[in-house]
Every structure is written in structure tokens, then in C-alpha cells.
Amino acid sequence: QVQLVESGGGLVQPGDSLRLSCVGSGGTFSSYHIGWFRQAPGKEREFVAVFRRTGGFTNYADSVKGRFTVSRDNAKNTVYLQMNSLKADDTAVYYCAAGSQITSALTRRDMYHTWGQGTQVTVTS
């Protein structure tokens, strides 16, 4: 079973950029969809982006389209989330997650079976 570790979070100002990393170990990383979710205080965990295991397909939440980019390097067992033009509303704990199902519903949390511990992103002036 794969294990996931996120890194790259931090405290930044509005308009800044950050790149989050999700590194997998203990499984065949290329066989998993890797999704990014985030959870702000008092809110439910929400979908941000996903990089499917095949075809190089990606999908984004409307709130981050045009600002965030997800990429993948299977040789390094790593998926990245490049976040540009950050806003205060992007403040949250960001989690990566692995899923294996053949499904089009990868915006749903229950499609993922393994989660990382999360990394905090705080955007404030």
C-alpha cells in the first residue's frame, strides 16, 4: 500500500506562488490517480486538482483553474501542485490522496483510499 507525504506549504502574501510536492512510497506510484484536496478551518475538505494515472489527464476545481497546475513525475514518485496568484481564500491544509478506481468521479473524497498528513498553506498580507 502506498504512503504519501506532502511538503512545500508555508506563509505567503497574496499574489505569491508556492509549489507543493506529494511523494509516494511503498507502492506502484504510477498505478494511482493522485488528487489534491484542501480543508480550511470550519469547512469541509474540498477537491482542488487531480492527475489521473493514465493518459496525463488532469482536472481542476473552478476556483483554482488558471492559477494552479498539477504535474507528475513517476520516476520520482512525485506529484506537484504549482500554485500561482495565491489568494487569502486559498488558505487551508492541503492534502494529496491516492485512488485506484476506474472512475470519472475523482472530485469525490471517497474515490481515494490513501491520504497524506497535509501541509499548511497560509496566504495573508
Side-chain angles (χ1 to χ4, degrees):
Q1 184 79 334
V2 68
Q3 295 179 322
L4 302 174
V5 177
E6 304 95 335
S7 62
L11 175 64
V12 297
Q13 294 185 337
D16 285 352
S17 298
L18 277 176
R19 188 177 78 161
L20 305 183
S21 299
C22 172
V23 179
S25 62
T28 305
F29 190 76
S30 61
S31 68
Y32 301 107
H33 313 297
I34 301 294
W36 285 97
F37 290 74
R38 64 187 182 186
Q39 188 166 17
K43 295 186 177 181
E44 290 192 355
R45 193 170 299 188
E46 65 175 4
F47 169 78
V48 175
V50 62
F51 200 114
R52 289 181 171 272
R53 62 183 182 182
T54 58
F57 294 110
T58 59
N59 191 24
Y60 298 91
D62 288 344
S63 59
V64 306
K65 278 181 183 176
R67 299 189 299 123
F68 290 13
T69 302
V70 61
S71 61
R72 183 167 190 153
D73 185 349
N74 285 332
K76 295 182 178 180
N77 285 359
T78 303
V79 170
Y80 303 97
L81 184 67
Q82 177 67 43
M83 306 187 296
N84 298 329
S85 302
L86 283 162
K87 307 174 182 179
D89 287 347
D90 295 318
T91 295
V93 178
Y94 283 72
Y95 299 89
C96 65
S100 304
Q101 295 190 51
I102 300 174
T103 176
S104 60
L106 287 175
T107 60
R108 289 171 43 181
R109 289 174 292 173
D110 60 346
M111 293 294 106
Y112 298 85
H113 51 71
T114 302
W115 294 78
Q117 84 290 348
T119 185
Q120 177 70 48
V121 172
T122 303
V123 185
T124 181
S125 55

